[in-house]
Structure formats: C-alpha cells, structure tokens
Amino acid sequence: MAGRDYEAFWKDLKRGSLEPCYYFYGQTDVLKDEAIAELLERTLEPGLRDFNLDIRSAGGLSPEDVSTLCTTLPMMADRRVVVIRDVEAWARKAKTKAAILRYLERPAKETLLILVQGGGEVEPDTDLAKACHAVEFGLIRRDHAERWVTKRAEHHGVVLTPEATIHLLVAVDGDLGAAASELAKLAGLGGDGPVSLETVASLLGVRHGETQDDWRDALLADEPARAAGMLQHVLAQPGMSGVKLVTLVGQTLIGLALTRELYDQGVRDSRLRSTMVNNLKRIRVFGLSYDASAQAWAAAAPRWPAPRIRAALQAALAADQALKGTTISNEHGIITDLVISLAPAVPEAA
C-alpha cells in the first residue's frame, strides 16, 4: 500500500477513507497519539472499547499472540482495534514480525490494526511499510505547527496571543511533544484572557528576543555584537548546543544563497519573497516559517554576495568540525569565533 504523510493522512480521514492496517513511524510521537485517538473515535463506540480494543507492546508478543489479537471477532460491534506499539522491537524478534506479515497478506475485515514505531527510530521498516498503509509523522511546517499549538491550547481551555504561540514554538525548537507539555502547564495557571508572550517566556525561561531564531536573525542582519551578547543565554537554554546553532546557521546560509542567486538574476522585492516562499513549499522544508524566512533572506540578500556566502558556509563547516572534536566547555568560544567570522568586512581607512 502507498505511504502517506501527516497531512495526507488527515485528508484521507476527512473523506471517510479507512484502511485495514496503519503503520505509523517518524519522530513526532504526539502526532501519532492524536491519529490513534481519531481512528478510535471513528471506529469504536466509547461504551464498547473495553471489549474491542487491545493495546500491546511488540516486544512482549509471540507469533501465537499476533494470530489471536488480529483474528478475534468484535463483540457487539462491526470492528475491533488492535494497537501494537514499539514495533521496532521486531527487528530482534523475526518470528513475530513474520507472523504479522503473513496476517497482512489477508487482513481480517473486522480488525483495524495500528502498528506504531517509537520516535527514537526515525527510519521506517521497509517490510511493514510495504504491507501496511504507512504514515510518516515527522516535523511539520511552521505554519501548520502554529495551528496545531492553537488547537491544542484550546483543548486545554487556553488562548495564546499570536506572539506567544510563535515564541513557544521557537523556544522548544519545534518539538510538539515539548510544546504539548508546556501547554498543559499553562492550563494549570488559570486566569482570564489570552496568555501573553511575557507569560510564556517566564514559564519557559527563554526570554523574548533571545531565542535561537533571534540569534540567527542578528547574524543575518550583520549585528555581530548583538549575536555575541545573547550567545551565552541561548546556549544555556534546554536542549540547546553549539552543533544545533551551527546547523541553524547552515540552513540559513543555504536559503540565503538561493535567494541571492535570484537577486543576481534581477528578481527583487515582493517577487523575490514570493518566489522563495513558493520554492520552500515545493521542496517541503519543515520547521520554518516560510513567509518570515523568505522575508529575512530577501532583506539580507543585497548585503550577502555569493563569495561572502561561500566563505560563511566554509566557516560554519569548520565550526561544526571543531565542535564535534572538542568538549562542551569550549563551544561558547567556537561559536563566538563563528559570529566574528560571519561579520561584514570593515573597509580599510584611506
């Protein structure tokens, strides 16, 4: 069966399409859980779930268990649902996996089987992907992530201001699982009215104007002093590292290089921004705000000719290699050197 991505999966559900078996993989577990909840909602009556729902871990199943789970008839319902989590364990239990693959050659029409791979194993199992309706739950586009946060907040009875939503996503580096955890904390704070950016910043311990995106924007805008000044705070944030910052710089420079190439071809202003937005949509870059990124690259393009971008990429590569060959205690110095090397050259006095 053909694989689908997260967006296509939800479109299929809205059309009423339901497959006999789903195989969920990818790094974003919270999206998998939401998809499972939706499938249960569409398949089982709440009062009959105790009789017609089995949730098991793959590591504890034998081949005989697979046969029993998948072929048992539903009770007082048209279908039953079997959810098997952590299917990556089957790489070490070939007989159980073989039993599943045999079952999937002729799946029971009364059973909806959902196979779930943990987020720590990003690559799909090729056998399961071929035998099931495979859906990848990876990173999603920034604008989709913003809508997801808004809906998740509403589920908790919380309303965020647009600025607070964006800051939350940036602070957790697009990790929807972490965002869901922080939203649950916000729900416990109570209070009336929308949650402000200041409240979110206080909860996360990441101040507005000092996120990794703010640091990158300072580099792009030729403000090395501001970038160096916020570096210590940025590196101290949860989950942050020098390697992650260098990766962000590399991604930014590649986008800037594509924008500068269009600029050199005579593409300017709103046309330059819209062309880059369309390029991002076409190649499906995740984790970025397309409009904001295109606008930042277009604004910076006149100051970043191609030779400067190439030199910056070489500096980023050198920083990445240095970070991977040194101790954490030295990463502040390495990134500071990178900031200095990316600064615009100062013309010599006459």
Side-chain angles (χ1 to χ4, degrees), residues 257-282:
L258 296 173
T259 309
R260 177 67 196 210
E261 184 177 354
L262 291 170
Y263 181 87
D264 289 339
Q265 294 171 5
V267 183
R268 296 288 192 277
D269 302 325
S270 61
R271 184 163 162 253
L272 179 58
R273 293 192 297 272
S274 63
T275 301
M276 281 307 301
V277 168
N278 291 334
N279 287 339
L280 290 171
K281 290 180 178 178
R282 186 178 68 254

mmCIF file of all heavy atoms in Angstrom, residues 257-282:
data_model
loop_
_atom_site.group_PDB
_atom_site.id
_atom_site.type_symbol
_atom_site.label_atom_id
_atom_site.label_comp_id
_atom_site.label_asym_id
_atom_site.label_seq_id
_atom_site.Cartn_x
_atom_site.Cartn_y
_atom_site.Cartn_z
ATOM 1 N N ALA A 257 21.658 31.690 0.057
ATOM 2 C CA ALA A 257 22.344 31.501 -1.219
ATOM 3 C C ALA A 257 21.344 31.391 -2.373
ATOM 4 O O ALA A 257 21.550 31.965 -3.451
ATOM 5 C CB ALA A 257 23.220 30.251 -1.156
ATOM 6 N N LEU A 258 20.267 30.647 -2.161
ATOM 7 C CA LEU A 258 19.236 30.523 -3.199
ATOM 8 C C LEU A 258 18.576 31.867 -3.478
ATOM 9 O O LEU A 258 18.289 32.213 -4.631
ATOM 10 C CB LEU A 258 18.188 29.499 -2.765
ATOM 11 C CG LEU A 258 18.683 28.056 -2.605
ATOM 12 C CD1 LEU A 258 17.580 27.175 -2.015
ATOM 13 C CD2 LEU A 258 19.126 27.492 -3.956
ATOM 14 N N THR A 259 18.365 32.631 -2.402
ATOM 15 C CA THR A 259 17.751 33.950 -2.563
ATOM 16 C C THR A 259 18.686 34.898 -3.303
ATOM 17 O O THR A 259 18.251 35.654 -4.183
ATOM 18 C CB THR A 259 17.388 34.538 -1.188
ATOM 19 O OG1 THR A 259 16.629 33.588 -0.441
ATOM 20 C CG2 THR A 259 16.570 35.814 -1.347
ATOM 21 N N ARG A 260 19.969 34.871 -2.957
ATOM 22 C CA ARG A 260 20.936 35.744 -3.617
ATOM 23 C C ARG A 260 21.064 35.405 -5.105
ATOM 24 O O ARG A 260 21.245 36.297 -5.951
ATOM 25 C CB ARG A 260 22.291 35.633 -2.934
ATOM 26 C CG ARG A 260 23.382 36.462 -3.603
ATOM 27 C CD ARG A 260 23.127 37.955 -3.470
ATOM 28 N NE ARG A 260 23.949 38.720 -4.415
ATOM 29 C CZ ARG A 260 24.394 39.956 -4.192
ATOM 30 N NH1 ARG A 260 24.106 40.570 -3.063
ATOM 31 N NH2 ARG A 260 25.122 40.577 -5.100
ATOM 32 N N GLU A 261 20.959 34.120 -5.438
ATOM 33 C CA GLU A 261 21.024 33.731 -6.847
ATOM 34 C C GLU A 261 19.870 34.365 -7.631
ATOM 35 O O GLU A 261 20.066 34.872 -8.741
ATOM 36 C CB GLU A 261 20.977 32.209 -6.966
ATOM 37 C CG GLU A 261 21.124 31.706 -8.395
ATOM 38 C CD GLU A 261 21.157 30.198 -8.486
ATOM 39 O OE1 GLU A 261 21.181 29.539 -7.421
ATOM 40 O OE2 GLU A 261 21.153 29.675 -9.604
ATOM 41 N N LEU A 262 18.676 34.361 -7.048
ATOM 42 C CA LEU A 262 17.538 35.019 -7.694
ATOM 43 C C LEU A 262 17.762 36.529 -7.769
ATOM 44 O O LEU A 262 17.429 37.165 -8.779
ATOM 45 C CB LEU A 262 16.255 34.721 -6.908
ATOM 46 C CG LEU A 262 15.745 33.281 -6.964
ATOM 47 C CD1 LEU A 262 14.622 33.080 -5.946
ATOM 48 C CD2 LEU A 262 15.245 32.945 -8.364
ATOM 49 N N TYR A 263 18.332 37.082 -6.718
ATOM 50 C CA TYR A 263 18.610 38.522 -6.672
ATOM 51 C C TYR A 263 19.569 38.911 -7.797
ATOM 52 O O TYR A 263 19.384 39.932 -8.473
ATOM 53 C CB TYR A 263 19.202 38.865 -5.305
ATOM 54 C CG TYR A 263 19.518 40.324 -5.106
ATOM 55 C CD1 TYR A 263 18.551 41.213 -4.634
ATOM 56 C CD2 TYR A 263 20.801 40.819 -5.375
ATOM 57 C CE1 TYR A 263 18.859 42.561 -4.437
ATOM 58 C CE2 TYR A 263 21.116 42.154 -5.176
ATOM 59 C CZ TYR A 263 20.138 43.022 -4.714
ATOM 60 O OH TYR A 263 20.433 44.347 -4.535
ATOM 61 N N ASP A 264 20.588 38.097 -8.007
ATOM 62 C CA ASP A 264 21.559 38.380 -9.065
ATOM 63 C C ASP A 264 20.938 38.248 -10.453
ATOM 64 O O ASP A 264 21.461 38.803 -11.426
ATOM 65 C CB ASP A 264 22.764 37.439 -8.947
ATOM 66 C CG ASP A 264 23.635 37.762 -7.739
ATOM 67 O OD1 ASP A 264 23.557 38.909 -7.250
ATOM 68 O OD2 ASP A 264 24.362 36.874 -7.283
ATOM 69 N N GLN A 265 19.830 37.505 -10.547
ATOM 70 C CA GLN A 265 19.128 37.370 -11.818
ATOM 71 C C GLN A 265 18.125 38.502 -12.060
ATOM 72 O O GLN A 265 17.426 38.509 -13.072
ATOM 73 C CB GLN A 265 18.395 36.020 -11.863
ATOM 74 C CG GLN A 265 19.322 34.818 -11.868
ATOM 75 C CD GLN A 265 18.579 33.508 -11.683
ATOM 76 O OE1 GLN A 265 17.351 33.474 -11.635
ATOM 77 N NE2 GLN A 265 19.324 32.416 -11.577
ATOM 78 N N GLY A 266 18.066 39.437 -11.106
ATOM 79 C CA GLY A 266 17.196 40.590 -11.269
ATOM 80 C C GLY A 266 15.853 40.494 -10.577
ATOM 81 O O GLY A 266 15.003 41.374 -10.725
ATOM 82 N N VAL A 267 15.646 39.438 -9.807
ATOM 83 C CA VAL A 267 14.385 39.292 -9.065
ATOM 84 C C VAL A 267 14.473 40.152 -7.814
ATOM 85 O O VAL A 267 15.436 40.053 -7.054
ATOM 86 C CB VAL A 267 14.125 37.820 -8.694
ATOM 87 C CG1 VAL A 267 12.784 37.680 -7.981
ATOM 88 C CG2 VAL A 267 14.175 36.936 -9.932
ATOM 89 N N ARG A 268 13.478 40.987 -7.579
ATOM 90 C CA ARG A 268 13.546 41.957 -6.493
ATOM 91 C C ARG A 268 12.252 42.028 -5.686
ATOM 92 O O ARG A 268 11.194 41.598 -6.136
ATOM 93 C CB ARG A 268 13.839 43.361 -7.036
ATOM 94 C CG ARG A 268 15.183 43.539 -7.722
ATOM 95 C CD ARG A 268 16.321 43.521 -6.694
ATOM 96 N NE ARG A 268 17.579 43.972 -7.273
ATOM 97 C CZ ARG A 268 18.410 43.207 -7.963
ATOM 98 N NH1 ARG A 268 18.091 41.934 -8.151
ATOM 99 N NH2 ARG A 268 19.546 43.679 -8.442
ATOM 100 N N ASP A 269 12.360 42.586 -4.479
ATOM 101 C CA ASP A 269 11.248 42.997 -3.629
ATOM 102 C C ASP A 269 10.218 41.881 -3.426
ATOM 103 O O ASP A 269 10.583 40.777 -3.080
ATOM 104 C CB ASP A 269 10.606 44.269 -4.198
ATOM 105 C CG ASP A 269 11.607 45.399 -4.327
ATOM 106 O OD1 ASP A 269 12.499 45.475 -3.458
ATOM 107 O OD2 ASP A 269 11.523 46.176 -5.292
ATOM 108 N N SER A 270 8.934 42.205 -3.622
ATOM 109 C CA SER A 270 7.869 41.242 -3.324
ATOM 110 C C SER A 270 7.971 39.999 -4.193
ATOM 111 O O SER A 270 7.628 38.894 -3.758
ATOM 112 C CB SER A 270 6.503 41.900 -3.497
ATOM 113 O OG SER A 270 6.317 42.330 -4.828
ATOM 114 N N ARG A 271 8.456 40.155 -5.414
ATOM 115 C CA ARG A 271 8.605 38.995 -6.297
ATOM 116 C C ARG A 271 9.683 38.058 -5.775
ATOM 117 O O ARG A 271 9.564 36.831 -5.872
ATOM 118 C CB ARG A 271 8.938 39.465 -7.708
ATOM 119 C CG ARG A 271 9.019 38.327 -8.732
ATOM 120 C CD ARG A 271 8.941 38.848 -10.143
ATOM 121 N NE ARG A 271 9.424 37.855 -11.087
ATOM 122 C CZ ARG A 271 10.584 37.911 -11.729
ATOM 123 N NH1 ARG A 271 11.373 38.968 -11.548
ATOM 124 N NH2 ARG A 271 10.949 36.969 -12.562
ATOM 125 N N LEU A 272 10.746 38.627 -5.210
ATOM 126 C CA LEU A 272 11.807 37.807 -4.632
ATOM 127 C C LEU A 272 11.271 37.015 -3.450
ATOM 128 O O LEU A 272 11.532 35.810 -3.324
ATOM 129 C CB LEU A 272 12.970 38.706 -4.209
ATOM 130 C CG LEU A 272 14.181 38.024 -3.560
ATOM 131 C CD1 LEU A 272 14.776 36.981 -4.488
ATOM 132 C CD2 LEU A 272 15.234 39.053 -3.162
ATOM 133 N N ARG A 273 10.514 37.658 -2.573
ATOM 134 C CA ARG A 273 9.945 36.967 -1.406
ATOM 135 C C ARG A 273 8.971 35.876 -1.828
ATOM 136 O O ARG A 273 9.025 34.755 -1.320
ATOM 137 C CB ARG A 273 9.258 37.975 -0.485
ATOM 138 C CG ARG A 273 10.224 38.950 0.186
ATOM 139 C CD ARG A 273 9.533 39.725 1.286
ATOM 140 N NE ARG A 273 8.453 40.573 0.773
ATOM 141 C CZ ARG A 273 8.619 41.809 0.341
ATOM 142 N NH1 ARG A 273 9.832 42.356 0.336
ATOM 143 N NH2 ARG A 273 7.596 42.510 -0.092
ATOM 144 N N SER A 274 8.067 36.198 -2.747
ATOM 145 C CA SER A 274 7.063 35.214 -3.146
ATOM 146 C C SER A 274 7.690 34.026 -3.861
ATOM 147 O O SER A 274 7.244 32.879 -3.701
ATOM 148 C CB SER A 274 6.005 35.872 -4.046
ATOM 149 O OG SER A 274 6.582 36.352 -5.243
ATOM 150 N N THR A 275 8.739 34.276 -4.637
ATOM 151 C CA THR A 275 9.419 33.176 -5.322
ATOM 152 C C THR A 275 10.068 32.230 -4.318
ATOM 153 O O THR A 275 9.997 31.003 -4.462
ATOM 154 C CB THR A 275 10.494 33.719 -6.290
ATOM 155 O OG1 THR A 275 9.875 34.585 -7.249
ATOM 156 C CG2 THR A 275 11.191 32.584 -7.022
ATOM 157 N N MET A 276 10.679 32.777 -3.266
ATOM 158 C CA MET A 276 11.311 31.931 -2.252
ATOM 159 C C MET A 276 10.270 31.165 -1.447
ATOM 160 O O MET A 276 10.477 30.000 -1.097
ATOM 161 C CB MET A 276 12.184 32.771 -1.332
ATOM 162 C CG MET A 276 13.541 33.122 -1.934
ATOM 163 S SD MET A 276 14.461 31.671 -2.547
ATOM 164 C CE MET A 276 14.614 30.685 -1.056
ATOM 165 N N VAL A 277 9.135 31.801 -1.156
ATOM 166 C CA VAL A 277 8.057 31.087 -0.462
ATOM 167 C C VAL A 277 7.603 29.901 -1.302
ATOM 168 O O VAL A 277 7.420 28.780 -0.796
ATOM 169 C CB VAL A 277 6.880 32.024 -0.156
ATOM 170 C CG1 VAL A 277 5.665 31.224 0.298
ATOM 171 C CG2 VAL A 277 7.256 33.041 0.912
ATOM 172 N N ASN A 278 7.416 30.107 -2.583
ATOM 173 C CA ASN A 278 6.985 29.023 -3.481
ATOM 174 C C ASN A 278 8.042 27.922 -3.547
ATOM 175 O O ASN A 278 7.695 26.731 -3.604
ATOM 176 C CB ASN A 278 6.698 29.573 -4.875
ATOM 177 C CG ASN A 278 5.465 30.453 -4.915
ATOM 178 O OD1 ASN A 278 4.562 30.306 -4.086
ATOM 179 N ND2 ASN A 278 5.408 31.369 -5.859
ATOM 180 N N ASN A 279 9.322 28.312 -3.548
ATOM 181 C CA ASN A 279 10.393 27.306 -3.560
ATOM 182 C C ASN A 279 10.362 26.456 -2.299
ATOM 183 O O ASN A 279 10.532 25.228 -2.348
ATOM 184 C CB ASN A 279 11.755 27.991 -3.694
ATOM 185 C CG ASN A 279 12.010 28.537 -5.081
ATOM 186 O OD1 ASN A 279 11.377 28.102 -6.049
ATOM 187 N ND2 ASN A 279 12.915 29.486 -5.205
ATOM 188 N N LEU A 280 10.145 27.100 -1.149
ATOM 189 C CA LEU A 280 10.086 26.362 0.115
ATOM 190 C C LEU A 280 8.911 25.400 0.143
ATOM 191 O O LEU A 280 9.017 24.276 0.640
ATOM 192 C CB LEU A 280 10.004 27.349 1.284
ATOM 193 C CG LEU A 280 11.265 28.162 1.579
ATOM 194 C CD1 LEU A 280 10.970 29.250 2.608
ATOM 195 C CD2 LEU A 280 12.391 27.266 2.063
ATOM 196 N N LYS A 281 7.784 25.840 -0.383
ATOM 197 C CA LYS A 281 6.614 24.969 -0.429
ATOM 198 C C LYS A 281 6.846 23.782 -1.354
ATOM 199 O O LYS A 281 6.415 22.659 -1.062
ATOM 200 C CB LYS A 281 5.386 25.761 -0.891
ATOM 201 C CG LYS A 281 4.873 26.770 0.121
ATOM 202 C CD LYS A 281 3.669 27.514 -0.421
ATOM 203 C CE LYS A 281 3.127 28.497 0.618
ATOM 204 N NZ LYS A 281 1.968 29.265 0.073
ATOM 205 N N ARG A 282 7.542 24.041 -2.448
ATOM 206 C CA ARG A 282 7.753 22.971 -3.423
ATOM 207 C C ARG A 282 8.679 21.891 -2.877
ATOM 208 O O ARG A 282 8.437 20.695 -3.063
ATOM 209 C CB ARG A 282 8.331 23.554 -4.713
ATOM 210 C CG ARG A 282 8.433 22.515 -5.845
ATOM 211 C CD ARG A 282 8.951 23.104 -7.131
ATOM 212 N NE ARG A 282 10.360 23.502 -7.028
ATOM 213 C CZ ARG A 282 10.765 24.751 -6.942
ATOM 214 N NH1 ARG A 282 9.885 25.750 -6.961
ATOM 215 N NH2 ARG A 282 12.058 25.040 -6.842
#
